[in-house]
Amino acid sequence: MRYFTNVNDIGDLKVALKEAFEIKKDRFQFDTLGKNKTLMMVFFNSSLRTRLSTQKAAMNLGMNVIVLDVNQGAWKLETERGVIMDGDKPEHLLEAIPVMGVYCDIIGVRSFAGLEDREYDYNETVINQFIKYSGKPVFSMEAATRHPLQSYADLITIEEYKTTERPKVVLTWAPHPRALPQAVPNSFAEWMNAADYDFVITHPRGYELDPQFVGNARVEYDQRKAFEGADFIYAKNWSAYSGDNYGKILSKDMDWTVDTEKMALTNQAYFMHCLPVRRNMIVSDDVIESERSIVIPEAANREISAQAVMKKMLLSL
Ligand code: AN0
Ligand code: CP
């Protein structure tokens, strides 16, 4: 595997799940595969889970790890070609990326959507430049439109907890004080559609996701109706995708917060969230602390998804 930015890069999901469960059984089975190989993790945005789980996964494979926080200590990077660089950015990505490439064997990149220019974001301008100019295998640690390591971990988690072959999985929008990207819901939808679960998306009107990600999912504007009979509730906030509203907050309606009363409508659903989560905005204390909340095992599976991806990359170096 040379690149991992979306669900298609992983190939057959059944095989990907089998590989993940094999790693989970013995995560040190390939602890010499990465000997003298270096992972470089490049962060344009903050992270807790991705940073820790990916580093841990690389260590399980025997790799060395370098972490670069672009906004802390590195030169500010210009990303647009053709700009006269007389502003506050002393270095261009077009030099920085190949330089990073010479110091490592695999690169992970985190670069969120700017939420100002939809075309720029949806062209995945930053991660695609890493793919084009680094000369090294590249994986997404959340890019502008997708968060595939998260979705892979989510899939593993659902497979572990499901009690029916084709569970009802509901992705629900929930309120948040700041505008967030669509990467997590886009990616979750992409993987759920590929897994062929009974998949429903619920959100207030105006929060429609890009149709390429919605795919065959059912969209239900009545959140309570969507929750009926659900086996998994996956909560996430996102900002608007549509037209002139791109990147905007259209609602902070607290009636969309996931609480005990709404969870009671489900088939004793498990509660999921990628974290970080704002309590009593997205989800009530009671629900996230309940025994049906699986947010911690979900986060634990981030180590597994990262390890599965890097193992595939190491094998094809
Ligand atoms: C980010 C997002 O919504 O994309 C990262 C989630 C993994 N969340 C925040 O910035 C709070
Ligand atoms: N879920 C997730 O990617 O968390 P971080 O932003 O903390 O890495």
Side-chain angles (χ1 to χ4, degrees), residues 86-283:
D86 60 355
D88 64 339
K89 294 170 179 159
E91 179 148 29
H92 203 288
L93 261 186
L94 290 171
E95 280 76 52
I97 290 175
V99 168
M100 292 182 214
V102 299
Y103 302 138
C104 66
D105 301 284
I106 296 177
I107 305 186
V109 182
R110 164 161 288 201
S111 172
F112 290 175
L115 296 179
E116 273 166 22
D117 179 342
R118 187 169 91 172
E119 203 184 321
Y120 181 87
D121 290 343
Y122 273 68
N123 282 335
E124 288 289 5
T125 311
V126 174
I127 196 161
N128 280 337
Q129 294 194 72
F130 274 86
I131 288 173
K132 206 162 164 194
Y133 300 117
S134 71
K136 294 291 152 78
V138 173
F139 64 92
S140 165
M141 300 196 299
E142 185 172 345
T145 64
R146 294 175 178 88
H147 192 359
L149 285 176
Q150 181 65 50
S151 311
Y152 189 3
D154 296 334
L155 177 72
I156 296 166
T157 311
I158 292 172
E159 283 297 306
E160 286 177 321
Y161 282 85
K162 75 177 190 184
T163 52
T164 52
E165 187 51 34
R166 195 164 178 270
K168 178 174 177 183
V169 178
V170 178
L171 165 63
T172 181
W173 181 92
H176 191 274
R178 304 199 12 209
L180 295 181
Q182 298 99 37
V184 171
N186 283 346
S187 200
F188 186 70
E190 183 175 70
W191 286 66
M192 291 302 104
N193 282 322
D196 193 33
Y197 295 140
D198 178 11
F199 180 49
V200 177
I201 306 176
T202 183
H203 54 71
R205 284 182 196 277
Y207 278 99
E208 289 76 14
L209 293 167
D210 181 347
Q212 68 162 312
F213 295 106
V214 176
N216 294 327
R218 276 181 289 138
V219 176
E220 170 59 67
Y221 293 102
D222 181 336
Q223 191 193 33
R224 287 178 172 79
K225 217 163 152 192
F227 273 39
E228 283 169 14
D231 298 300
F232 293 88
I233 297 296
Y234 191 97
K236 184 72 184 83
N237 172 269
W238 63 89
S239 61
Y241 167 76
S242 301
D244 289 347
N245 285 330
Y246 180 69
K248 294 209 174 101
I249 296 178
L250 308 178
S251 166
K252 290 186 188 173
D253 186 353
M254 299 287 273
D255 192 41
W256 281 77
T257 302
V258 178
D259 61 14
T260 304
E261 173 247 311
K262 275 180 231 161
M263 289 301 283
L265 300 169
T266 69
N267 179 30
Q268 292 193 305
Y270 288 107
F271 175 80
M272 298 177 72
H273 190 282
C274 63
L275 308 181
V277 71
R278 292 195 187 232
R279 283 175 174 230
N280 305 310
M281 290 287 306
I282 303 279
V283 58

